[in-house]
Amino acid sequence: MKRPNILVIAGHDPSGGAGIQADIEAAAAHGVHAATVISLLTCQDTHNVYGVKPVASDFFAQCLDAVVADMHIDAVKLGVIASAEHVAIIARLMDRLGDTPLVIDPVLVAAGGGTLADDTVGQALQDTLFERACAITPNAREARALCAGEIDLDRCGEALSERTPNVLITGGDEGGVEVVNRRYARGRAMQRYQWPRIDGVFHGSGCTLASAVAARIALGHSPDEALQHAQQYTWETLERAFAAGGGQRIPARIVTGTP
């Protein structure tokens, strides 16, 4: 038997709430295999990030080469990337992978406020990888950071959609009784998705969403279908979220009956 493979490039979270473990669980919940290459190690818990240690660039590149030499990759998902040098390595990889779909979750800062990527990473992603992506999924804070601090999310979405065909700005970190996600696509009007807000703060929701998008695309779904389904799936994981530690709750990504 075979199943689709997604290549996930992201960081390791020792609490198991975000990063590589979240990606693996979200992919598995959709019947997709996640091959994983770690970009950085973090010292963190369910409260915050306390330290970051990037993987050496030569070893990082060696790991990517080994995976793609052995496996057919149906989609690539990027989470936190350690440096602009890592971004350049990934760009060369995508040249080799041709039309393989790419989903980017441009993780810059942890939910607790700790810094995950240096200031050059966001710009490097925009300069070299956004144009290759079929979708990017920043939260509101990340969208503003990518747009030099622009406050208006519509302006952010419009600016980012000039670089990549599908932008989903998630609104979980904004106020309001509902979570409003905004989808921007070239040549189309902005589309709003509204979800009932679930009380609490969650650890790994962005990883869950982006990996679900990549998994659905690997299964053959269009970006429209993948973005819609991934939001529904992520909302359900938050509704089932549990407390593994004393901080943010963790989405329950794998349960009996998950499609």
Side-chain angles (χ1 to χ4, degrees):
M1 293 181 63
K2 295 186 70 174
R3 60 177 63 189
N5 297 320
I6 64 171
L7 171 60
V8 178
I9 306 170
H12 177 259
D13 167 15
S15 79
I20 288 289
Q21 184 165 326
D23 299 315
I24 293 170
E25 292 176 354
H30 290 84
V32 171
H33 175 69
T36 59
V37 173
I38 293 176
S39 57
L40 54 81
L41 302 175
T42 69
C43 175
Q44 65 177 301
D45 55 21
T46 59
H47 294 276
N48 208 344
V49 175
Y50 309 107
V52 172
K53 187 175 181 60
V55 172
S57 294
D58 57 348
F59 187 67
F60 176 71
Q62 183 182 353
C63 291
L64 292 172
D65 289 343
V67 171
V68 300
D70 179 54
M71 303 169 67
H72 176 76
I73 303 300
D74 296 286
V76 178
K77 182 265 180 179
L78 302 188
V80 63
I81 305 302
S83 65
E85 185 175 3
H86 278 198
V87 174
I89 291 169
I90 296 166
R92 292 194 291 272
L93 174 74
M94 294 308 301
D95 286 341
R96 291 161 55 193
L97 292 179
D99 295 332
T100 302
L102 171 64
V103 176
I104 301 177
D105 178 19
V107 181
L108 305 174
V109 178
T115 300
L116 287 166
D118 67 43
D119 292 341
T120 64
V121 171
Q123 190 60 53
L125 287 171
Q126 292 195 72
D127 291 344
T128 62
L129 288 176
F130 277 14
E131 67 182 7
R132 303 164 188 250
C134 61
I136 67 171
T137 60
N139 62 30
R141 183 176 185 178
E142 291 159 348
R144 291 182 175 113
L146 290 167
C147 294
E150 169 63 59
I151 298 298
D152 186 272
L153 288 178
D154 284 335
R155 291 177 183 168
C156 291
E158 290 164 4
L160 292 170
S161 67
E162 293 177 0
R163 293 177 177 264
T164 196
N166 292 286
V167 180
L168 182 70
I169 300 179
T170 60
D173 53 343
E174 300 284 277
V177 296
E178 291 186 311
V179 172
V180 179
N181 298 336
R182 296 169 168 84
R183 194 278 190 85
Y184 301 84
R186 294 173 186 167
R188 295 168 58 174
M190 186 269 284
Q191 185 175 0
R192 294 165 62 94
Y193 302 90
Q194 295 174 258
W195 302 95
R197 184 174 295 277
I198 301 169
D199 289 340
V201 181
F202 304 96
H203 190 49
S205 57
C207 310
T208 303
L209 174 69
S211 287
V213 173
R216 280 283 156 175
I217 287 174
L219 288 165
H221 291 241
S222 69
D224 282 358
E225 294 168 329
L227 288 166
Q228 175 65 51
H229 173 86
Q231 291 178 76
Q232 178 68 45
Y233 165 74
T234 301
W235 187 87
E236 291 172 1
T237 70
L238 299 181
E239 193 176 38
R240 301 187 298 258
F242 60 96
Q248 302 155 10
R249 286 188 289 159
I250 294 175
R253 288 171 279 257
I254 300 179
V255 295
T256 303
T258 298

